[in-house]
Amino acid sequence: MKKTNRIEDTKRADFVEKVVKVDLRAALKMVEEIEDFEAKSIAFLHVFKFTNNEEFLGKAISYAIQCKQRDGILLMIVESIARCNRKKAEKIAELIQKEYYKNKAYATILEECNAIELAKKITCKRILSSSLKRISLQTNSIEIAMEIPDPYYKALALISLAELKSDEKNEKKEIIRMIKEAIESIKSEYLKKRLKRKLKSIDQ
């Protein structure tokens, strides 16, 4: 396929998102005219998001599997539906082949659905740590912060939580103890010093 056609098809796919809100039949006609599989997948995803008809989601997945950017498009689909359809999002995540994209997909579901049990499916320590850090702050949970595998992210999360608990002296004291333990586990001396400065500002 010529590059110019792909650019045109991408523009059509973006336009489908606007058209489907006004005229479903016209939007579907536009989708059928799209030849590029990646653009066609995105277009069907737009139609699904408006109609909530899983037939269109199935088509979006089918075309995603056939395109060159397979895993990237499947990840995008997971990101689009995780909050409203966790089970389907998990099934799509299973179709992803490259480890990075699969990790990102499971991390998305973990965050959107507060599905901590999916942590075991995320093999990248950094991606998992980043997700757990965000959830711990969203839920104000020390327990989740303590599950963060990377000590740098763990310390960052605990420092933020300690700031939120500034009026609860005993609890704050315990969090500061955990922060110090996390900092000592960090290999980078630069990051250690950086976090110790942060800690000093709340350990008054």
Side-chain angles (χ1 to χ4, degrees), residues 1 4 13 15 25 28 32 35 40 61 63 72 74 77 99 123 125 128 130 132 141-142 181-182 186 191:
M1 183 176 294
T4 52
F15 194 51
R25 184 175 296 178
L28 289 173
E32 292 304 324
E35 296 178 7
K40 206 174 188 77
I61 296 166
Y63 283 108
L74 288 174
I77 294 172
E99 191 173 16
T123 59
K125 187 176 177 180
L128 176 59
S130 181
L132 291 178
S141 172
I142 296 169
E181 285 183 0
I186 297 170
L191 292 178

Side-chain angles (χ1 to χ4, degrees), residues 126-143:
R126 185 180 292 272
I127 291 174
L128 176 59
S129 295
S130 181
S131 288
L132 291 178
K133 174 178 171 287
R134 282 190 286 269
I135 292 181
S136 69
L137 298 182
Q138 288 166 7
T139 59
N140 196 19
S141 172
I142 296 169
E143 290 76 14

Side-chain angles (χ1 to χ4, degrees), residues 15-201:
F15 194 51
V16 165
E17 186 176 19
K18 297 178 181 178
V19 175
V20 73
K21 296 174 183 177
V22 180
D23 190 334
L24 175 58
R25 184 175 296 178
L28 289 173
K29 187 177 180 181
M30 286 182 65
V31 176
E32 292 304 324
E33 292 172 353
I34 295 172
E35 296 178 7
D36 180 75
F37 285 171
E38 182 178 321
K40 206 174 188 77
S41 175
I42 294 169
F44 271 122
L45 179 60
H46 289 321
V47 177
F48 165 72
K49 286 164 70 177
F50 179 74
T51 63
N52 205 32
N53 184 330
E54 289 204 8
E55 177 187 349
F56 300 124
L57 177 60
K59 289 184 177 182
I61 296 166
S62 177
Y63 283 108
I65 289 171
Q66 298 176 69
C67 75
K68 288 183 178 180
Q69 300 299 323
R70 168 198 166 106
D71 288 346
I73 301 301
L74 288 174
L75 171 59
M76 188 184 71
I77 294 172
V78 169
E79 291 171 341
S80 297
I81 72 166
R83 184 169 292 183
C84 64
N85 196 333
R86 173 184 166 177
K87 287 185 178 179
K88 198 73 177 181
E90 285 189 49
K91 287 181 180 178
I92 298 167
E94 289 171 7
L95 297 174
I96 297 174
Q97 296 172 337
K98 294 178 181 176
E99 191 173 16
Y100 171 78
Y101 290 102
K102 189 183 283 286
N103 280 325
K104 291 289 287 183
Y106 281 124
T108 295
I109 302 166
L110 186 151
E111 289 187 49
E112 292 291 344
C113 305
N114 198 17
I116 304 300
E117 65 276 13
L118 290 182
K120 62 181 180 293
K121 292 194 174 186
I122 302 172
T123 59
C124 176
K125 187 176 177 180
R126 185 180 292 272
I127 291 174
L128 176 59
S129 295
S130 181
S131 288
L132 291 178
K133 174 178 171 287
R134 282 190 286 269
I135 292 181
S136 69
L137 298 182
Q138 288 166 7
T139 59
N140 196 19
S141 172
I142 296 169
E143 290 76 14
I144 294 175
M146 289 303 294
E147 293 298 318
I148 298 172
D150 187 293
Y152 175 69
Y153 284 93
K154 181 186 286 185
L156 280 177
L158 290 170
I159 287 170
S160 296
L161 291 170
E163 289 173 335
L164 292 173
K165 298 180 182 296
S166 57
D167 295 330
E168 303 169 36
K169 290 185 179 180
N170 289 335
E171 188 170 9
K172 184 179 176 182
K173 186 177 180 180
E174 177 61 17
I175 297 172
I176 288 172
R177 182 191 66 76
M178 292 187 288
I179 293 169
K180 289 177 178 178
E181 285 183 0
I183 290 174
E184 288 307 311
S185 298
I186 297 170
K187 292 180 180 179
S188 167
E189 289 301 322
Y190 167 76
L191 292 178
K192 274 187 178 181
K193 288 178 183 178
R194 183 180 174 186
L195 287 176
K196 283 178 180 178
R197 286 196 297 269
K198 279 181 172 287
L199 179 59
K200 190 177 289 186
S201 66

